C-alpha cells in the first residue's frame, strides 16, 4: 500500500512554507525579564493559575503555587492584563519595561462578586501548567487525573506512554499499558476529545509511545466513566490534548544527543534497505514482487536474470553512533478586531540505536526448556512527528479548531539467537524485521454559544488513517557452533527460512454533535444546572493482508556457509541456475476485512440539589453494527468471503457525584455500566502467524463483556498546588475475553465466566516548605502515588456451556488466577527542585523520579505449565533543565540509572516445585543532552 506516500512528499514543502510565515518579521531585540506576584485584594492569599500577559499579545505566564510569575519581553511601554477564574480582570496601563534591568510587578485582584444567572464562566488557563491542571481537577465533578507539559518535562519523559506511567494505577508491561490491572482491551484513547485509531491488529489503543510529548499540552486520564464517551472502556479513557494555536508568536529550534551505555559506539548489526531509512520511510526499497493483497498466486518464481526481491540477507556490523533528535516549533497569532486567528506547527525527528542480549527460553510443565536460546537484538528506531493547528476565535461566541497530525515511526531490528530446541542443537536463527507505522489524523471542531451563553453547541468530526507495514521480514536458521561464523542451513522446518510481508490499513471516521443548556442561578456554594444531549457516530474499517514466501534450497549446497557473506550464496547467479527459489505459501486477496459502525445517543444532567453537592446522572444508548469478512487459508480465491455479522443495542447508565466537605476537601463517587468488544483479529478464524512463529486464530462466537464499575475518592488540597487523595474502586466483568496459548505455537481467545478487580490508590503532591521550616525546602516538591491492586479471573470450564470453549479452558493450569498484565502494586515518586539557579534563568527544574511495579502474568500457563510472569523491577531517572531569559535552554538527563535486569520467570505447575527464569536482559543507561533557542516576534501593543 502506498497511498500514504504523498504525505512524505509534501512534508518538506509544508515545513518550509510555515517556517517562512512564522519568522516574519523576526528582529534582534532587548529583552526584559518581568517578575512578580498575584494576590487576592481582600485576603492577601496567593492566586495560582492567574494569567499575566502583555495586552494585545499572547505573551505572558501563569502564576505558580506561590502566585509568582516570570516571563520575558522586549523593552517598551505596555498595558499588562491579569485575569483569573472568579476575579475581575486587572489592567496595568503604561507599564514601563526598561532595558536597564529586570521589572518587578505585584498585582492584587478583586473577587468577581457579580451573580450571573444561568451562566458558567470558565477562564482559559495555561493547561501545560501543573497548578492550573490541579485547580481544574479540584473543580471537576468527575474523578480525573491529569499531567501537563510542564510536569512531563520535569519528569524527563519523551513520549505519551511514559508520561502516563507517572499517574497512579498505571504501569507498562511488554503488552502495553495496564490501568488498574486492566490491559489494552479495557482502555480508550482520544486526541482532542475525538477517538484515536490503532494501527496494530493486536491492540485496540494506539501505541502511545509513538507520540512525542513535544506536541502535548496536557493529558487527562478519566478512570470514571461518563456517557459522553464511547462505552467500550473500564480501565480509563486517555485524552491527549495537543498544543493551543493561540500561543505567543515564537520560533523554537532544538537539538539533542544521547548515549546508551550498552549500545553507543559499540558493534551494532544493521540492515538498511529502505528509500529513506533516516526518516523511517521504506518506500519501494523493500517492496514485494507480488501485490501483498492481490489475487496472483505464485507457486514458484521462474528463473530469470535476477531474483525477484530487491533486498539481500547480509547484515552489516557498524559502530552505533549517538542518538539524536531535532525539533522545530513555531506559532503565530493575528489580532483581528474582535477575533483572533492562530497557527502552530511542531515538527520533530528522532533516531536511536539500542542493543541488548540475554536468555530467551520456553519451558515445559516440568520446567525443562523446550527451546533455550541466547538472544542478541539490535534496533534502529526513527520517529517523525508533525502537528499543524489552526484556531479561530470570535467574541467568545464562536470558535473553530482545525488540527492535522502525522506520525511515522519505524523499527529496523536484527535479531540473532543461538541455542537449541528439543530436536536440534547448535541452532542459529537470524531475523531481520522492519516495521513502519504511520498515523494521520485530521480533526475539525466548532463551538458556538447562544441565548446569552446559556446554550452551547459543539459539533465536528475527524478522519484518521493508521497504516502498518511489515515489508520483507527475512528469516534464516542454520546449524552453527557458538562463536563460529560458518554454518549449514536447517532445511527441517520450512517456515524458518523465507520472507514475510504484512500490511494493515485501518480507516476511521467520527462525527459528533452536542448541545448543552445552562439553567438555574449561581450562588457562593452552587453552580448553574446543566442539561446535555448528544449524538456520536464512528465507522471503523480494517484490511489485513499478508504473504509468505518460503525459501526452497533443495539444489543448493548449504554446508560450510560463510554467515557473514550470505548474499554470495543467495546470488542472482545461483537463482538463475535454479539452485534456490521461493514458493508463495499463502498468496491470496484480502485475507480478512472488518467493518464496525457505532451510533450512540446520550444525555446527562449536572445539577446541584443542595449546597456543596453536585450530581451527574447520565444514560447512553449505543448501537453496534459489525461484520467480519475472512477467507480461511487454503480456500480457493474464487470463493466468496465468509462473514460473521453482529448487531445489538446496549443501554448504559452512569451516576457521578461530588460533595464539598470544606474549602479544600471533597468526596467524589461514580458508578457506571460499560462494555468490552472483541478486537477484529480476535474474531477472524483464519490463522495469522506472528513474529514468534505462533498461529493466532480468532473465534467468531466471542461475545461482548459487560462491566460494572464503582469508584469512591477523597481529595484534599491543603495548600495551593498541593494534593492528598485516597481512592478505592471495584469492577466486576461478566464474560471477560481471555487469551490462551495451547502448546507452544497456537493462540486463541475465549469468554470465561467472570473476573473482578479492586484496589486502593493514594496520591500526594506536597511542597516540603509547608512541612519543614528551613527556607531551603521551599523550592522542593515531592510528588508520588501508590496503588494496591487485587484481580481474579475465573476460568473454570464447569461454568461454561460452550463445548469448544470448555475444551480450550481445560488446558489452563490455574482455574483461578490474577488477570494478565495486572501488577499487585505500583509505586511512582519524584522529588523536584524548581527555583531558578542563575540570575539570568527564567526557569530551572531538577528532579529524580522512581517507578516500581510488581510482578504480573505475561503468559497464562497451559497443559500443566505454570503461569509466566514478568518480575518486578524499578527504574530511577534524573532530569535537569534550565531556561535562560535570552531564549536559550539546556537540558541534561540520565535515565534508567539502576539499569535493572528485566526478567521473566515461569511459576511451578503441578509437575514442578520452583520458579525458573525464561528471559533476562538489560536496557542500559541513557544519557541525554539537549539545547534549544527560542526566537520571539516583536509585537505592537
Amino acid at each position: 500500500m502506498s497511498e500514504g506516500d504523498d504525505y512524505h512528499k509534501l512534508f518538506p514543502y509544508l515545513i518550509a512554507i510555515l517556517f517562512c510565515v512564522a519568522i516574519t518579521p523576526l528582529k534582534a531585540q532587548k529583552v526584559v525579564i518581568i517578575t512578580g506576584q498575584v494576590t487576592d485584594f481582600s485576603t492577601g492569599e496567593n492566586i495560582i493559575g492567574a494569567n499575566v500577559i502583555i495586552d494585545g499579545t499572547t505573551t505572558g505566564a501563569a502564576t505558580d503555587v506561590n502566585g509568582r510569575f516570570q516571563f520575558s519581553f522586549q523593552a517598551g511601554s505596555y498595558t499588562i492584563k491579569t485575569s483569573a477564574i472568579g476575579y475581575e480582570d486587572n489592567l496595568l496601563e503604561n507599564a514601563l519595561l526598561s532595558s536597564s534591568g529586570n521589572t518587578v510587578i505585584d498585582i492584587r485582584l478583586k473577587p468577581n462578586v457579580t451573580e450571573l444567572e444561568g451562566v458558567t464562566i470558565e477562564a482559559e488557563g495555561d493547561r501545560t501548567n501543573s497548578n492550573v491542571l490541579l485547580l481544574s481537577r479540584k473543580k471537576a465533578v468527575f474523578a480525573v487525573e491529569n499531567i501537563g507539559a510542564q510536569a512531563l518535562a520535569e519528569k524527563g519523559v519523551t513520549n505519551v506512554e511514559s508520561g502516563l506511567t507517572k499517574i497512579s494505577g498505571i504501569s507498562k508491561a511488554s503488552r502495553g499499558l495496564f490501568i488498574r490491572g486492566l490491559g489494552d482491551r479495557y482502555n480508550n484513547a482520544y486526541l482532542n476529545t475525538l477517538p484515536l485509531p490503532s494501527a496494530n491488529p493486536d491492540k485496540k489503543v494506539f501505541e502511545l509511545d509513538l507520540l512525542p510529548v513535544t506536541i502535548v499540552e496536557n493529558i487527562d486520564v478519566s478512570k470514571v466513566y461518563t456517557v459522553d464517551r464511547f462505552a467500550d472502556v473500564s480501565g480509563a479513557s486517555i485524552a491527549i490534548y495537543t498544543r493551543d494555536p493561540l500561543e505567543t508568536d515564537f520560533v523554537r529550534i532544538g537539538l539533542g544527543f544521547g548515549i546508551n551505555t550498552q549500545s553507543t559506539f559499540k558493534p551494532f548489526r544493521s540492515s538498511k534497505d529502505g528509500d529513506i531509512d533516516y526518516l523511517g520511510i521504506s518506500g519501494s526499497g523493500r517492496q514485494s514482487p507480488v501485490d501483498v493483497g492481490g489475487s496472483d498466486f505464485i507457486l514458484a518464481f521462474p528463473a530469470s536474470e535476477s531474483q525477484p526481491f530487491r533486498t539481500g540477507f547480509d547484515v552489516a556490523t557498524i559502530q552505533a553512533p549517538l542518538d539524536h533528535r531535532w525539533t522545530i516549533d513555531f506559532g503565530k497569532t493575528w489580532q483581528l478586531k474582535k477575533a483572533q486567528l492562530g497557527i502552530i506547527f511542531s515538527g520533530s525527528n528522532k533516531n536511536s540505536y539500542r542493543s541488548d542480549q540475554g536468555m530467551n527460553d520456553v519451558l515445559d510443565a516440568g520446567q525443562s526448556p523446550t527451546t533455550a536460546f541466547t538472544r542478541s537484538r539490535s534496533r534502529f528506531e526513527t520517529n517523525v512527528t508533525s502537528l499543524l493547528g489552526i484556531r479561530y476565535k470570535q467574541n467568545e461566541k464562536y470558535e473553530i479548531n482545525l488540527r492535522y497530525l502525522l506520525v511515522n515511526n519505524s523499527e529496523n531490528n536484527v535479531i540473532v539467537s543461538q541455542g537449541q530446541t528439543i530436536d536440534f542443537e547448535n541452532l542459529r536463527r537470524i531475523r531481520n524485521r522492519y516495521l513502519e507505522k504511520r498515523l494521520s489524523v485530521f480533526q475539525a471542531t466548532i463551538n458556538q454559544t447562544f441565548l446569552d451563553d446559556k446554550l452551547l453547541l459543539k459539533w465536528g468530526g475527524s478522519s484518521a488513517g493508521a497504516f502498518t507495514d511489515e515489508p520483507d521480514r527475512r528469516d534464516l536458521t542454520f546449524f552453527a557452533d557458538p562463536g563460529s561464523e560458518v554454518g549449514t542451513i536447517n532445511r527441517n522446518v520450512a517456515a524458518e527460512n523465507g520472507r514475510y510481508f504484512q500490511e494493515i490499513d485501518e480507516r476511521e471516521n467520527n462525527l459528533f454533535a452536542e448541545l448543552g443548556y445552562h439553567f438555574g442561578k449561581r450562588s457562593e456554594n452552587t453552580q448553574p444546572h446543566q442539561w446535555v444531549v448528544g449524538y456520536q457516530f464512528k465507522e471503523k474499517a480494517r484490511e489485513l493482508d499478508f504473504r509468505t514466501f518460503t525459501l526452497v534450497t533443495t539444489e543448493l549446497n548449504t554446508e560450510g556457509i560463510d554467515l557473514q557473506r550470505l548474499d554470495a550464496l543467495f546470488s542472482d547467479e545461483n537463482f538463475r541456475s535454479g539452485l534456490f527459489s521461493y514458493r508463495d505459501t499463502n498468496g491470496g486477496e484480502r485475507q480478512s476485512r472488518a467493518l464496525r459502525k457505532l451510533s450512540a445517543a446520550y444525555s446527562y444532567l449536572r445539577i446541584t440539589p443542595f449546597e456543596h453537592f453536585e450530581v451527574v446522572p447520565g444514560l447512553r444508548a449505543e448501537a453496534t453494527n459489525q461484520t467480519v469478512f475472512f477467507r480461511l487459508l487454503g480456500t480457493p480465491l474464487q470463493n466468496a468471503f465468509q462473514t460473521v455479522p453482529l448487531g445489538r443495542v446496549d443501554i448504559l447508565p452512569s451516576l457521578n457525584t461530588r460533595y464539598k466537605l470544606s474549602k479544600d476537601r471533597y468526596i467524589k463517587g461514580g458508578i457506571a455500566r460499560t462494555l468490552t468488544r472483541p478486537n477484529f483479529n480476535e474474531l477472524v478464524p483464519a490463522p495469522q502467524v506472528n513474529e514468534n512463529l505462533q498461529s493466532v486464530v480468532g473465534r467468531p462466537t466471542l461475545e461482548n463483556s459487560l462491566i460494572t464499575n464503582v469508584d469512591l475518592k477523597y481529595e484534599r488540597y491543603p495548600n495551593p498546588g498541593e494534593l492528598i487523595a485516597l481512592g478505592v474502586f471495584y469492577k466486576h466483568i461478566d464474560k471477560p475475553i481471555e487469551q490462551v496459548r495451547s502448546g507452544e505455537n497456537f493462540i486463541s481467545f475465549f469468554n470465561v465466566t467472570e473476573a473482578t478487580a479492586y484496589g486502593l490508590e493514594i496520591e500526594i503532591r506536597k511542597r516540603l516548605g509547608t512541612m519543614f521550616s528551613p527556607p531551603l525546602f521551599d523550592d522542593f516538591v515531592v510528588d508520588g502515588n501508590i496503588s494496591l491492586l487485587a484481580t481474579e479471573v475465573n476460568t473454570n470450564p464447569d461454568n461454561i456451556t460452550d463445548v469448544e470453549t470448555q475444551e480450550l479452558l481445560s488446558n489452563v493450569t490455574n482455574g483461578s488466577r490474577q488477570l494478565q498484565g495486572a501488577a499487585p502494586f505500583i509505586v511512582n515518586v519524584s522529588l523536584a527542585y524548581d527555583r531558578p539557579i542563575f540570575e539570568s534563568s527564567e526557569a530551572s527544574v531538577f528532579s529524580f523520579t522512581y517507578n516500581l511495579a510488581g510482578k504480573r502474568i505475561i503468559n497464562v500457563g497451559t497443559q500443566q505449565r505454570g503461569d509466566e510472569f514478568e518480575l518486578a523491577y524499578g527504574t530511577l531517572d534524573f532530569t535537569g533543565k534550565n531556561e535562560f531569559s535570552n531564549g536559550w535552554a539546556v537540558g541534561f538527563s540520565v535515565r534508567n540509572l539502576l539499569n535493572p535486569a528485566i526478567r521473566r520467570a515461569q511459576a511451578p505447575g503441578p509437575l514442578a516445585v520452583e520458579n525458573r527464569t525464561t528471559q533476562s536482559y538489560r536496557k542500559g543507561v541513557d544519557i541525554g543532552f539537549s539545547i534549544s533557542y527560542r526566537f520571539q516576534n516583536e509585537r505592537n501593543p
Side-chain angles (χ1 to χ4, degrees):
M1 300 181 184
S2 58
E3 55 265 41
D5 290 346
D6 291 340
Y7 297 131
H8 303 300
K9 295 177 182 178
L10 295 174
F11 184 68
Y13 301 102
L14 180 63
I15 292 180
I17 293 170
L18 293 175
F19 185 80
C20 291
V21 172
I23 64 175
T24 307
L26 287 175
K27 300 182 181 180
Q29 51 198 274
K30 296 179 179 179
V31 176
V32 180
I33 299 177
I34 304 100
T35 62
Q37 190 171 32
V38 180
T39 56
D40 186 291
F41 184 87
S42 302
T43 66
E45 292 181 351
N46 300 326
I47 300 175
I48 66 170
N51 287 320
V52 185
I53 65 171
I54 304 294
D55 194 30
T57 78
T58 52
T59 299
T63 55
D64 62 17
V65 293
N66 296 313
R68 297 181 304 207
F69 64 89
Q70 179 171 313
F71 63 95
S72 57
F73 202 64
Q74 63 268 19
S77 179
Y78 306 98
T79 296
I80 296 179
K81 179 180 179 181
T82 306
S83 59
I85 299 174
Y87 291 88
E88 296 179 359
D89 289 351
N90 177 281
L91 293 177
L92 180 61
E93 298 180 347
N94 299 319
L96 180 62
L97 307 183
S98 174
S99 60
S100 61
N102 297 340
T103 300
V104 179
I105 301 173
D106 291 329
I107 301 165
R108 301 170 67 190
L109 295 183
K110 294 181 179 180
N112 188 348
V113 297
T114 304
E115 184 176 298
L116 301 177
E117 183 175 339
V119 181
T120 299
I121 301 295
E122 292 188 3
E124 288 191 51
D126 179 7
R127 300 284 296 180
T128 67
N129 186 285
S130 300
N131 301 319
V132 173
L133 290 174
L134 198 62
L135 183 62
S136 172
R137 174 176 173 175
K138 178 180 179 180
K139 293 179 176 295
V141 176
F142 314 109
V144 63
E145 297 170 48
N146 42 41
I147 187 169
Q150 180 188 85
L152 293 170
E154 291 174 2
K155 298 179 188 300
V157 299
T158 58
N159 61 70
V160 169
E161 185 176 80
S162 297
L164 287 168
T165 62
K166 311 306 179 185
I167 293 176
S168 66
I170 302 181
S171 65
K172 180 181 178 181
S174 56
R175 296 192 182 187
L177 287 176
F178 284 79
I179 302 177
R180 289 181 164 179
L182 301 178
D184 173 77
R185 74 169 69 255
Y186 298 99
N187 303 312
N188 270 336
Y190 294 83
L191 187 71
N192 300 310
T193 73
L194 289 164
L196 186 64
S198 170
N200 190 328
D202 298 322
K203 291 188 176 182
K204 168 187 165 187
V205 177
F206 181 78
E207 293 171 292
L208 299 175
D209 59 339
L210 305 185
L211 293 177
V213 296
T214 52
I215 68 168
V216 173
E217 182 174 77
N218 68 283
I219 306 170
D220 286 354
V221 177
S222 178
K223 300 174 187 174
V224 176
Y225 178 66
T226 57
V227 296
D228 58 340
R229 292 187 174 177
F230 285 98
D232 53 340
V233 64
S234 181
S237 292
I238 302 165
I240 303 151
Y241 294 93
T242 56
R243 293 169 57 183
D244 185 358
L246 292 182
E247 290 190 2
T248 180
D249 291 7
F250 69 94
V251 176
R252 182 192 297 112
I253 56 175
L255 185 64
F257 298 96
I259 294 174
N260 178 269
T261 55
Q262 63 188 38
S263 303
T264 309
F265 305 137
K266 296 181 179 180
F268 184 90
R269 294 186 179 96
S270 176
S271 179
K272 298 181 179 180
D273 305 308
D275 287 350
I276 312 177
D277 279 305
Y278 175 82
L279 296 177
I281 301 174
S282 179
S284 60
R286 299 179 177 89
Q287 187 173 345
S288 169
V290 178
D291 183 11
V292 176
S295 59
D296 295 333
F297 187 74
I298 308 297
L299 287 176
F301 289 96
S304 61
E305 292 299 316
S306 61
Q307 56 183 311
F309 298 96
R310 304 184 184 187
T311 58
F313 286 99
D314 276 349
V315 175
T317 299
I318 64 172
Q319 299 298 310
L322 291 169
D323 297 345
H324 64 275
R325 178 190 186 95
W326 60 259
T327 60
I328 179 168
D329 306 286
F330 44 78
K332 192 174 185 65
T333 302
W334 292 270
Q335 303 294 326
L336 307 173
K337 293 184 179 179
K338 295 183 179 181
Q340 284 182 302
L341 175 65
I343 183 172
I344 191 169
F345 176 84
S346 178
S348 67
N349 169 246
K350 180 184 73 173
N351 288 357
S352 64
Y353 298 79
R354 291 295 179 271
S355 300
D356 64 70
Q357 181 173 314
M359 64 180 298
N360 187 32
D361 295 353
V362 176
L363 308 180
D364 62 18
Q367 303 291 65
S368 297
T370 57
T371 63
F373 285 90
T374 297
R375 180 181 61 190
S376 177
R377 297 185 292 190
S378 298
R379 184 182 77 251
F380 170 62
E381 185 173 2
T382 73
N383 182 283
V384 176
T385 300
S386 60
L387 169 71
L388 174 64
I390 300 173
R391 184 182 182 191
Y392 174 79
K393 189 175 182 180
Q394 179 178 339
N395 294 332
E396 307 293 335
K397 304 284 187 182
Y398 186 77
E399 180 182 314
I400 301 176
N401 279 285
L402 304 175
R403 294 181 179 91
Y404 177 74
L405 173 68
L406 174 66
V407 180
N408 193 86
N409 193 88
S410 75
E411 293 181 15
N412 194 345
N413 298 273
V414 177
I415 305 171
V416 179
S417 300
Q418 179 75 42
Q420 62 186 33
T421 66
I422 292 178
D423 300 316
F424 306 107
E425 295 183 351
N426 294 329
L427 287 176
R428 185 173 303 174
R429 293 173 174 171
I430 303 175
R431 165 168 288 180
N432 188 337
R433 182 179 188 238
Y434 179 88
L435 190 65
E436 183 177 351
K437 302 174 185 177
R438 182 165 62 252
L439 171 71
S440 61
V441 182
F442 174 75
Q443 299 180 329
T445 59
I446 299 174
N447 298 338
Q448 297 172 265
T449 59
F450 308 93
L451 300 177
D452 296 326
D453 296 333
K454 291 183 180 181
L455 198 64
L456 174 62
L457 173 65
K458 301 178 181 179
W459 58 284
S462 66
S463 179
F467 176 60
T468 300
D469 187 14
E470 186 179 353
D472 201 7
R473 187 179 77 202
R474 284 154 274 176
D475 291 294
L476 290 174
T477 303
F478 301 89
F479 294 106
D481 295 328
S484 173
E485 295 303 329
V486 177
T488 300
I489 288 182
N490 178 13
R491 293 172 170 168
N492 297 283
V493 183
E496 294 191 6
N497 298 307
R499 299 169 182 261
Y500 178 80
F501 294 79
Q502 179 174 282
E503 295 175 348
I504 304 165
D505 192 1
E506 179 170 305
R507 306 292 172 179
E508 182 172 300
N509 297 309
N510 291 275
L511 296 172
F512 80 96
E514 180 181 281
L515 186 65
Y517 177 69
H518 295 93
F519 60 97
K521 294 186 177 182
R522 178 181 184 178
S523 67
E524 181 180 355
N525 297 316
T526 63
Q527 295 291 328
H529 309 312
Q530 185 182 29
W531 178 38
V532 175
V533 295
Y535 172 79
Q536 294 169 330
F537 174 78
K538 178 164 67 173
E539 180 182 61
K540 178 192 290 283
R542 174 181 284 172
E543 294 180 351
L544 167 65
D545 303 303
F546 59 90
R547 192 170 287 224
T548 302
F549 299 95
T550 302
L551 182 62
V552 181
T553 58
T554 308
E555 304 298 327
L556 193 65
N557 180 8
T558 57
E559 296 183 358
I561 297 171
D562 184 351
L563 302 184
Q564 299 295 313
R565 300 181 65 249
L566 294 174
D567 287 345
L569 177 70
F570 300 106
S571 63
D572 289 345
E573 180 181 356
N574 286 342
F575 179 81
R576 186 167 56 249
S577 301
L579 299 182
F580 74 94
S581 61
Y582 293 94
R583 184 173 65 251
D584 189 348
T585 307
N586 56 9
E589 182 181 6
R590 303 297 181 207
Q591 274 82 6
S592 68
R593 291 189 293 119
L595 177 65
R596 177 183 291 159
K597 296 181 180 180
L598 301 177
S599 297
Y602 63 89
S603 179
Y604 67 87
L605 280 169
R606 179 171 177 170
I607 58 178
T608 308
F610 53 86
E611 288 187 351
H612 305 303
F613 186 59
E614 291 181 82
V615 181
V616 184
L619 187 67
R620 181 182 183 91
E622 193 163 288
T624 305
N625 187 351
Q626 171 182 290
T627 306
V628 177
F629 307 83
F630 61 93
R631 184 183 290 117
L632 295 172
L633 292 180
T635 302
L637 294 178
Q638 64 270 22
N639 286 22
F641 278 116
Q642 298 183 47
T643 61
V644 180
L646 171 67
R648 60 177 292 167
V649 177
D650 293 284
I651 305 298
L652 305 159
S654 75
L655 176 66
N656 289 280
T657 63
R658 183 183 77 151
Y659 182 67
K660 182 178 180 181
L661 295 170
S662 66
K663 176 183 176 182
D664 60 5
R665 295 183 300 144
Y666 299 84
I667 291 180
K668 300 178 181 180
I671 183 170
R673 195 74 182 272
T674 58
L675 57 85
T676 298
R677 298 182 178 89
N679 292 335
F680 285 153
N681 65 310
E682 296 171 346
L683 293 166
V684 178
Q688 302 171 37
V689 179
N690 66 17
E691 61 172 317
N692 295 320
L693 303 179
Q694 296 170 316
S695 294
V696 181
V697 181
R699 287 171 52 77
T701 57
L702 285 178
E703 300 180 53
N704 289 355
S705 305
L706 291 177
I707 308 165
T708 301
N709 308 271
V710 181
D711 286 84
L712 185 65
K713 178 166 283 191
Y714 167 81
E715 295 179 348
R716 184 185 176 197
Y717 301 83
N719 295 293
E722 296 183 346
L723 167 70
I724 299 173
L726 175 67
V728 294
F729 67 89
Y730 170 81
K731 298 179 184 296
H732 179 269
I733 308 173
D734 182 51
K735 296 182 181 178
I737 301 168
E738 284 282 289
Q739 171 184 305
V740 66
R741 183 176 66 184
S742 178
E744 293 181 35
N745 298 312
F746 181 83
I747 293 175
S748 191
F749 308 89
F750 51 86
N751 290 103
V752 300
T753 305
E754 63 179 355
T756 57
Y758 52 92
L760 170 70
E761 296 174 338
I762 303 171
E763 299 174 76
I764 182 170
R765 178 179 173 86
K766 197 73 172 155
R767 188 165 289 271
L768 296 185
T770 63
M771 297 186 294
F772 303 100
S773 56
L776 172 66
F777 293 103
D778 287 347
D779 301 303
F780 284 93
V781 178
V782 62
D783 187 0
N785 55 75
I786 299 174
S787 299
L788 304 176
L789 309 173
T791 62
E792 184 178 9
V793 58
N794 184 357
T795 58
N796 189 342
D798 295 339
N799 299 320
I800 302 297
T801 57
D802 181 71
V803 176
E804 187 177 357
T805 301
Q806 280 186 339
E807 183 178 348
L808 283 170
L809 290 177
S810 65
N811 291 320
V812 178
T813 303
N814 296 318
S816 180
R817 54 170 172 78
Q818 67 188 60
L819 283 167
Q820 286 175 297
F825 65 88
I826 303 168
V827 177
N828 300 307
V829 62
S830 69
L831 178 65
Y833 178 82
D834 61 2
R835 184 179 180 84
I837 59 174
F838 303 114
E839 185 177 345
S840 58
S841 298
E842 193 164 286
S844 305
V845 177
F846 301 88
S847 69
F848 282 95
T849 304
Y850 180 75
N851 304 98
L852 173 66
K855 72 175 185 178
R856 75 286 301 278
I857 294 177
I858 296 299
N859 290 308
V860 175
T862 59
Q863 298 178 336
Q864 296 188 311
R865 288 181 297 185
D867 298 324
E868 187 179 13
F869 288 85
E870 182 175 83
L871 302 182
Y873 66 93
T875 60
L876 178 65
D877 300 332
F878 168 79
T879 60
K881 185 177 182 180
N882 186 76
E883 298 180 8
F884 295 95
S885 58
N886 60 5
W888 287 98
V890 294
F892 178 73
S893 65
V894 185
R895 298 187 177 90
N896 199 32
L897 270 163
L898 304 177
N899 193 22
I902 300 173
R903 296 186 299 130
R904 291 185 182 182
Q906 184 168 297
L911 304 181
V913 295
E914 61 181 3
N915 292 340
R916 177 160 178 173
T917 301
T918 59
Q919 187 180 110
S920 180
Y921 66 96
R922 298 178 188 271
K923 293 183 176 181
V925 180
D926 295 321
I927 303 171
F929 173 79
S930 64
I931 185 170
S932 65
Y933 184 74
R934 176 180 174 124
F935 303 88
Q936 186 168 291
N937 271 12
E938 181 174 321
R939 300 287 303 271
N940 294 320

